[in-house]
Amino acid sequence: MLEVQSMGAFSFPIQGAPRTLSRGYKGNTARKCEGLFMRNTHRQLSTQEYLRLIGVPDLPPLTSPFDPGYDPVTFESHLDQSAHLMASLKISMACWQIANEAATRRKIAAARAHHVPAVTGGGPFEVAVAQGQLEAYLDLCADLGFTRIECGEGFTELPLKPQTIVKIARERGLAVQYEMGKKHEGPFTEESLNAAINRGRAWLDAGAVQLVVEARESALGVGTFGSDGSLNTAFADRFAEEFGLETAMFEAPNKPSQFAMLDHFGPRVHLCNVRLEELLRVEIYRRGLHSDAFAKPNRRPAHPKRELS
């Protein structure tokens, strides 16, 4: 007779024999446990099906990452892996202007092939305007295959009206987004916040499709972020209340700024200026799958209802 050792409701064999239920564990409770644990071991699930099972909601693409200057092979690999998570993709600040042009064209073509809008950064636009070459810049962007350009006044003054810029961009098949905020004047004050909101309204009235809230590459002492990196939630709320989360995008270039924005606004906030290699981390936090998010009751996925049978 096989010797067994009793542990509570179950009895376990000492030498590897099959586990058996003790006599005290009978009836309906035992049948419920068997129904819960006796699963079809050959069941096949996609990752998307599994995420739904654990309560993760389906979300549209809500992050617009940026390419800091990757080679085309790395760039294409990120698209293969994560294009379904990208609302748009900003191409490497001004780096694309001095990289090998064939490589730049290849990267833009790859984004388009994955149905991800390719967007220029605001810096090249400001330089083009300051140097009196805006139309040449727009011609170049259109020829390379960009979908959208970003306009801004982060480090220059803009002498042209938004309507004029949007019109000549549209003539070349280019959409426009506008970046609100200065790069070198510190965080928003009440006065500069109001001015940025007024400019944002003017650009939307002129036909811009989205607005970007400046945070540069540091999220320190710029835009809605203080010199210590803390998020000014009241100022961030002003942009959200004025323009809505579908129109206003918030730059979040590092982990603290990304998590702060998601903690404050929840999973529907549109983040941008996220480095390509950080996109998946942002998206697991957005869905409550990151350990830091799961530890917060308001961030973790809703617990799926599970029935015993």
Side-chain angles (χ1 to χ4, degrees):
M1 180 176 177
L2 180 67
E3 182 180 357
V4 299
Q5 182 177 5
S6 177
M7 294 183 65
F10 292 93
S11 296
F12 298 94
I14 289 178
Q15 296 182 347
R19 184 175 67 185
T20 60
L21 287 171
S22 72
R23 293 180 180 178
Y25 199 85
K26 294 180 180 179
N28 190 48
T29 303
R31 286 193 296 273
K32 286 182 177 179
C33 274
E34 289 171 0
L36 178 61
F37 294 112
M38 296 292 288
R39 300 296 189 190
N40 180 356
T41 57
H42 299 291
R43 182 183 182 187
Q44 293 183 335
L45 286 174
S46 69
T47 53
Q48 192 61 40
E49 289 170 331
Y50 174 72
L51 290 173
R52 290 179 183 139
L53 284 176
I54 62 173
V56 176
D58 292 333
L59 293 171
L62 288 167
T63 299
S64 295
F66 87 99
D67 157 43
Y70 282 127
D71 62 277
V73 173
T74 302
F75 183 89
E76 290 166 352
S77 294
H78 278 290
L79 282 165
D80 288 342
Q81 177 175 260
S82 306
H84 63 292
L85 301 170
M86 301 179 190
S88 62
L89 177 53
K90 186 180 291 187
I91 309 293
S92 60
M93 301 171 285
C95 301
W96 59 270
Q97 295 180 323
I98 61 171
N100 181 284
E101 185 173 323
T104 296
R105 288 182 180 275
R106 177 177 167 182
K107 289 160 73 171
I108 296 169
R112 294 178 73 98
H114 284 82
H115 307 291
V116 176
V119 186
T120 64
F125 164 83
E126 293 195 52
V127 172
V129 172
Q131 299 301 101
Q133 294 298 325
L134 176 59
E135 292 195 70
Y137 171 72
L138 296 176
D139 289 339
L140 176 63
C141 291
D143 182 66
L144 289 172
F146 281 105
T147 306
R148 185 189 301 184
I149 64 163
E150 182 173 286
C151 303
E153 301 168 75
F155 56 95
T156 61
E157 297 299 324
L158 186 59
L160 303 172
K161 293 181 179 180
Q163 292 88 343
T164 301
I165 296 168
V166 172
K167 178 179 180 294
I168 61 176
R170 282 179 172 172
E171 289 171 352
R172 293 159 173 81
L174 297 167
V176 172
Q177 65 186 42
Y178 177 75
E179 184 175 58
M180 300 176 290
K182 294 290 186 179
K183 296 183 183 296
H184 306 298
E185 296 184 8
F188 284 120
T189 63
E190 196 69 42
E191 181 180 359
S192 63
L193 175 66
N194 290 331
I197 288 173
N198 289 335
R199 284 194 292 270
R201 289 197 197 105
W203 279 86
L204 289 179
D205 291 343
V209 294
Q210 280 188 301
L211 302 172
V212 177
V213 180
E214 176 70 81
R216 302 204 69 189
E217 295 178 73
S218 64
L220 289 173
V222 62
T224 58
F225 293 95
S227 57
D228 61 351
S230 60
L231 173 63
N232 186 326
T233 56
F235 283 5
D237 284 342
R238 287 281 306 278
F239 288 109
E241 291 163 2
E242 183 66 38
F243 303 115
L245 292 180
E246 292 184 0
T247 298
M249 298 184 283
F250 293 87
E251 289 190 344
N254 54 27
K255 182 178 178 179
S257 61
Q258 293 153 9
F259 288 13
M261 283 290 181
L262 288 164
D263 284 344
H264 181 63
F265 286 117
R268 296 283 175 175
V269 65
H270 192 148
L271 300 183
C272 56
N273 224 31
V274 174
R275 292 175 66 95
L276 272 173
E277 69 271 19
E278 297 180 354
L279 173 60
L280 289 177
R281 183 186 67 201
V282 166
E283 293 307 312
I284 63 171
Y285 195 90
R286 185 190 296 278
R287 288 159 174 79
L289 297 174
H290 190 286
S291 61
D292 291 354
F294 196 81
K296 301 172 183 177
N298 65 332
R299 296 295 312 117
R300 67 174 62 180
H303 197 288
K305 293 182 179 179
R306 184 175 62 190
E307 293 185 1
L308 297 177
S309 59

